[in-house]
Amino acid sequence: MISKGKFGKYGGVFVPELLIPALEELETAYLKYKDDEKFNEELNYYLKEFAGRPTALYYAENLSEKLGCKIYLKREDMLHTGAHKINNTLGQGLLAKYMGKTRLIAETGAGQHGIATAVVGALLRIPTEVYMGSEDVERQKLNVFRMELSDGVVLPVESGSRTLKDAINEAMRDWITNLDTTYYLIGSTMGPHPYPTMVKYFQSIIGRETKKQIMEKEGRLPDTIMACVGGGSNSLGIFSEFIGDEEVELIGVEGGGDGIETPRTGATLTMGTEGVLHGSLSYVLQNDDGQINEAHSVSAGLDYPGVGPEHAYLKDRGRATYDAVTDKEALEGFKLLSETEGIIPALESAHAIAYAKKYAEKEDNKGKIIIVNLSGRGDKDMDLVAREMSVEI
Amino acid sequence: MSHIESYQEMFQRVKDKGEGAFIPFVVVGDPDFETGLEIVKTYVDNGADALELGFPFSDPIADGPTVQSADVRSLNVGMTTRRGFEFIKRIREFTDIPIGLLVYYNLIYKMGADEFYKAAKESGLNGILAADLPPEEAEVLLDTADKYGLDQIFMAAQTTSNERLKKITEMCGGFLYVVAVMGVTGARSELADTTVELVSRVRSHSDLPLAVGFGISRGEHVRNVLDAGSDGAIVASALLNIIEENLENKEVMLTKIGSFCRELKEATRK
């Protein structure tokens, strides 16, 4: 490898020997094309014309008034397919095309990354197969159908807990078996090097736009940026441009599930310990022996017992702080934004909204300029939220 | 405990007899602690020249469904890292042949390398291979392995370049584990031509003893990899399938394992 892909002690390439040459090939291609004029021209074209960038930085006036802060929303929810995931799948999908790969595979939890991969597969005419835990297939039938409509093949995974982490295991096994033809399109800032670095790079467009937009609107940097953290790609995407601006507070909000003091939580950075999962050293939810626990969150996108290694590094060096909100609080955040602004957020993003409310309630934080990364929209969560609210639709 | 045979001694012993090494694999405590020990005893009594043991892991990315199912069975009966080492101690009550451990790195990381290797040595292990720890990340373990006199074993695969092979050979102790297939563990009916080519290529770049694993499921596979220049063959999933298929009848399970082991061992004799 050209780089060891370390963030402090975190990150790395903890994979079977078979995969190392494939990661080397990927790293080389990534470094070559990320600065390639033609590649960038094509990527920027699709980001604009296909995905709908740039997204607005919307001043949420009603919410601001209610909470006593100036709250801006980065509207990644307005992108094609409904979430920030498309930024990364367009980047990596094009990379796969430039590398001459003829098959895309991906893992998905709720289905958002699976859909974003399937549509890029359709766009670039690369056959796409998506691994999804059978438990999630059952819970997210609508998204399975959406993937299939875009000509993606959904492969249900029956092993382990039959959720996201098992889908990742299965996608890695597929990749190990089909290295010549297949590109493994990882959906978050996790996995072995170069994925954490590369996915952040493709998502950093969120932060670049945000910085420009806030300077235009406010003439200064924000006080605080908040984003939800599952694997960590929307949060790193918006944080990346501000990491060097020490005066900007960066807060990652994890899925607390039933509560961080319970075993039913997805709060990896808040409650986890150092460990190696899916190719990198980071924080993980695990038992005393190092067996990985099952995570829990009402939002499938935050329901993962690992987290991207750069977040572990940002946490340890105190550059970003991480906290969790419970399922219940997230549902309140979901309703709050829907009612005050007429914007229905994804349950993942609703965690960041719920946290913004708690944050704004503190006297010290009154009047601050806060940016919340609204990573996705809530259409996908209608069934679940209706059930939680005991509403029949 | 009498003298524990080293890998070097074992490979020499079988070579002197004009044979190759037969190395069966099992996940510790599969399907339960005591039956697992009986399975290992059956391996030893029916021709095993060395043993390869796996500690179960919740997320075994290098393994196919057969080994993962064995991991689940073992975890479900309460296997832990500490009990895994107890299991190995119990094996040492009846055999001195080399025992290698195949493990996912997080189990080592969580316990701490020093403590893990110390416990490994005390249990009577010869060597450790971490399936998800390539040479890039393994430097930190080499000193620890040395400190406790354990062999740190590495894998070579079809994708491994000759240049990498050189580096791996320099770091590797005991024997080099040659991954026969492009893929994960699991029984296969055919041995690929590329496996034979890989063994020849590795043979020409390394003086270490070679043992080939992944997909070695029949006597003829064993024979073919030995003919290609390997010193031993590791058989895992084909044996674990016998366990899985006979969970309800231990006697039948052990009888079938015994006769299959004799068949595999026979194939190592010219």
Side-chain angles (χ1 to χ4, degrees):
Chain A
M1 308 291 285
I2 295 160
S3 153
K4 289 193 163 184
K6 299 278 184 178
F7 307 94
K9 65 181 169 184
Y10 300 106
V13 281
F14 296 91
V15 295
E17 170 64 22
L18 260 171
L19 279 184
I20 294 285
L23 293 170
E24 282 174 343
E25 179 194 1
L26 179 60
E27 183 193 38
T28 303
Y30 161 65
L31 292 173
K32 177 179 170 191
Y33 290 116
K34 87 183 185 56
D35 296 322
D36 179 85
E37 201 176 323
K38 187 165 162 281
F39 179 87
N40 279 297
E41 213 170 89
E42 204 172 343
L43 177 58
N44 290 331
Y45 170 80
Y46 287 128
L47 284 171
K48 179 166 179 268
E49 304 290 338
F50 185 73
R53 300 213 73 91
T55 60
L57 183 69
Y58 177 69
Y59 176 55
E61 196 177 348
N62 300 337
L63 187 66
S64 296
E65 199 171 299
K66 193 175 169 93
L67 299 183
C69 284
K70 267 189 127 168
I71 298 176
Y72 286 88
L73 305 174
K74 181 59 174 164
R75 300 292 308 273
E76 294 299 294
D77 62 314
M78 296 297 282
L79 288 172
H80 178 41
T81 69
H84 72 292
K85 293 287 184 189
I86 192 88
N87 302 326
N88 170 51
T89 58
L90 275 173
Q92 286 198 59
L94 266 184
L95 186 60
K97 186 178 135 184
Y98 277 66
M99 289 171 76
K101 300 292 177 183
T102 54
R103 176 173 175 258
L104 294 180
I105 57 170
E107 80 291 339
T108 199
Q112 289 310 107
H113 174 59
I115 289 165
T117 305
V119 300
V120 165
L123 172 75
L124 301 176
R125 288 181 284 182
I126 310 176
T128 301
E129 292 171 46
V130 180
Y131 286 95
M132 188 170 185
S134 59
E135 186 91 354
D136 291 330
V137 169
E138 197 49 42
R139 284 193 290 198
Q140 304 283 344
K141 283 182 185 157
L142 184 67
N143 277 347
V144 171
F145 187 52
R146 287 172 77 194
M147 282 184 261
E148 287 169 348
L149 282 175
S150 301
D151 213 21
V153 176
V154 177
L155 304 165
V157 175
E158 299 289 350
S159 58
S161 58
R162 297 177 296 168
T163 58
L164 178 59
K165 85 179 170 76
D166 309 287
I168 297 171
N169 293 339
E170 214 53 48
M172 284 196 166
R173 291 171 182 143
D174 180 316
W175 198 36
I176 289 171
T177 310
N178 301 293
L179 288 171
D180 285 350
T181 57
T182 301
Y183 185 99
Y184 178 21
L185 207 164
I186 291 186
S188 193
T189 49
M190 41 147 292
H193 176 69
Y195 285 103
T197 300
M198 178 167 68
V199 175
K200 178 179 87 163
Y201 174 77
F202 287 128
Q203 291 293 1
S204 63
I205 190 163
I206 306 173
R208 287 198 303 277
E209 284 178 10
T210 301
K211 193 175 227 179
K212 189 161 160 273
Q213 290 164 323
I214 197 69
M215 292 309 287
E216 281 165 11
K217 289 173 195 291
E218 291 286 343
R220 72 167 177 95
L221 294 173
D223 296 300
T224 312
I225 297 177
M226 288 169 204
C228 62
V229 180
S233 71
N234 91 78
S235 46
L236 267 183
I238 194 163
F239 288 176
S240 60
E241 194 65 16
F242 297 90
I243 289 172
D245 302 313
E246 298 283 341
E247 68 272 32
V248 180
E249 187 180 8
L250 306 174
I251 301 176
V253 185
E254 299 192 288
D258 289 354
I260 55 171
E261 70 289 351
T262 76
R264 281 170 57 80
T265 181
T268 309
L269 287 157
T270 314
M271 297 308 287
T273 49
E274 285 172 29
V276 174
L277 175 65
H278 296 143
S280 56
L281 174 63
S282 183
Y283 280 63
V284 294
L285 295 172
Q286 58 186 332
N287 72 10
D288 292 344
D289 262 1
Q291 305 291 347
I292 307 304
N293 293 341
E294 287 174 27
H296 170 78
S297 169
V298 66
S299 119
L302 308 184
D303 193 355
Y304 177 59
V307 67
E310 191 167 356
H311 282 295
Y313 176 61
L314 291 174
K315 175 188 161 87
D316 279 12
R317 74 181 182 98
R319 179 60 194 96
T321 53
Y322 297 87
D323 206 339
V325 304
T326 63
D327 288 354
K328 194 162 163 280
E329 291 170 320
L331 283 160
E332 283 161 16
F334 180 93
K335 282 187 256 178
L336 174 68
L337 190 67
S338 305
E339 285 161 10
T340 54
E341 295 291 343
I343 295 171
I344 300 175
L347 275 174
E348 289 78 7
S349 321
H351 284 70
I353 297 292
Y355 192 84
K357 177 170 178 282
K358 291 209 290 193
Y359 182 88
E361 279 165 359
K362 289 187 187 144
E363 212 43 53
D364 288 355
N365 296 328
K366 290 290 172 209
K368 282 187 175 175
I369 297 178
I370 300 169
I371 297 175
V372 177
N373 195 26
L374 205 65
S375 54
R377 61 177 175 250
D379 309 29
K380 69 185 175 62
D381 297 316
M382 289 300 101
D383 272 352
L384 201 156
V385 173
R387 243 190 342 268
E388 295 287 335
M389 294 169 68
S390 307
V391 173
E392 208 161 307
I393 50 174
Chain B
M1 170 62 32
S2 54
H3 168 77
I4 291 174
E5 191 179 38
S6 71
Y7 278 110
Q8 195 186 358
E9 289 164 344
M10 182 276 291
F11 281 110
Q12 193 60 51
R13 165 169 63 82
V14 295
K15 196 174 171 189
D16 289 346
K17 288 195 276 185
E19 300 174 2
F22 164 52
I23 309 174
F25 170 91
V26 76
V27 174
V28 296
D30 171 33
D32 60 68
F33 198 94
E34 294 303 326
T35 310
L37 283 172
E38 287 181 64
I39 290 167
V40 174
K41 182 88 170 44
T42 307
Y43 287 174
V44 172
D45 291 344
N46 291 280
D49 295 301
L51 296 165
E52 191 72 3
L53 302 179
F55 277 3
F57 185 50
S58 52
D59 295 82
I61 55 170
D63 287 299
T66 304
V67 175
Q68 183 164 22
S69 296
D71 283 354
V72 169
R73 286 194 297 269
S74 166
L75 288 170
N76 283 347
V77 293
M79 186 49 68
T80 62
T81 302
R82 294 274 171 214
R83 279 177 66 74
F85 288 129
E86 286 303 315
F87 188 88
I88 295 162
K89 274 185 194 161
R90 293 278 302 277
I91 296 173
R92 278 298 176 219
E93 290 172 5
F94 59 79
T95 185
D96 298 329
I97 62 175
I99 305 178
L101 179 66
L102 192 56
V103 66
Y104 284 86
Y105 181 54
N106 197 45
L107 302 191
I108 300 175
Y109 190 84
K110 189 71 174 73
M111 183 177 258
D114 195 85
E115 201 179 330
F116 192 98
Y117 278 64
K118 185 165 182 279
K121 184 63 183 181
E122 284 167 4
S123 75
L125 272 179
N126 294 65
I128 297 179
L129 195 173
D132 54 351
L133 196 76
E136 278 78 359
E137 304 287 356
E139 297 273 358
V140 308
L141 287 186
L142 295 180
D143 289 344
T144 314
D146 271 353
K147 179 176 166 187
Y148 292 107
L150 290 163
D151 290 319
Q152 187 70 40
I153 298 162
F154 288 92
M155 287 179 166
Q158 303 203 352
T159 52
T160 308
S161 66
N162 290 339
E163 196 186 330
R164 275 185 73 77
L165 207 46
K166 192 161 165 276
K167 186 177 165 192
I168 291 170
T169 299
E170 280 165 13
M171 295 173 87
C172 184
F175 67 92
L176 188 57
Y177 191 127
V178 181
V179 179
V181 297
M182 287 291 291
V184 295
T185 58
R188 288 164 175 82
S189 55
E190 300 291 328
L191 191 71
D193 294 341
T194 49
T195 306
V196 173
E197 287 163 24
L198 172 67
V199 174
S200 313
R201 181 164 70 89
V202 176
R203 179 76 290 161
S204 68
H205 284 85
S206 175
D207 293 329
L208 282 169
L210 308 181
V212 181
F214 284 43
I216 307 298
S217 326
R218 295 175 174 191
E220 62 179 283
H221 299 166
V222 171
R223 189 65 254 158
N224 289 347
V225 297
L226 294 176
D227 286 344
S230 178
D231 303 284
I234 301 168
V235 181
S237 293
L239 285 161
L240 303 192
N241 282 337
I242 299 178
I243 299 176
E244 184 164 294
E245 286 160 12
N246 296 282
L247 288 170
E248 303 304 320
N249 193 334
K250 196 165 85 178
E251 295 312 312
V252 174
M253 179 201 291
L254 295 175
T255 305
K256 283 188 175 172
I257 288 173
S259 71
F260 187 44
C261 283
R262 288 194 298 280
E263 180 190 330
L264 294 166
K265 178 58 204 170
E266 188 53 38
T268 72
R269 301 183 175 113
K270 283 199 176 136

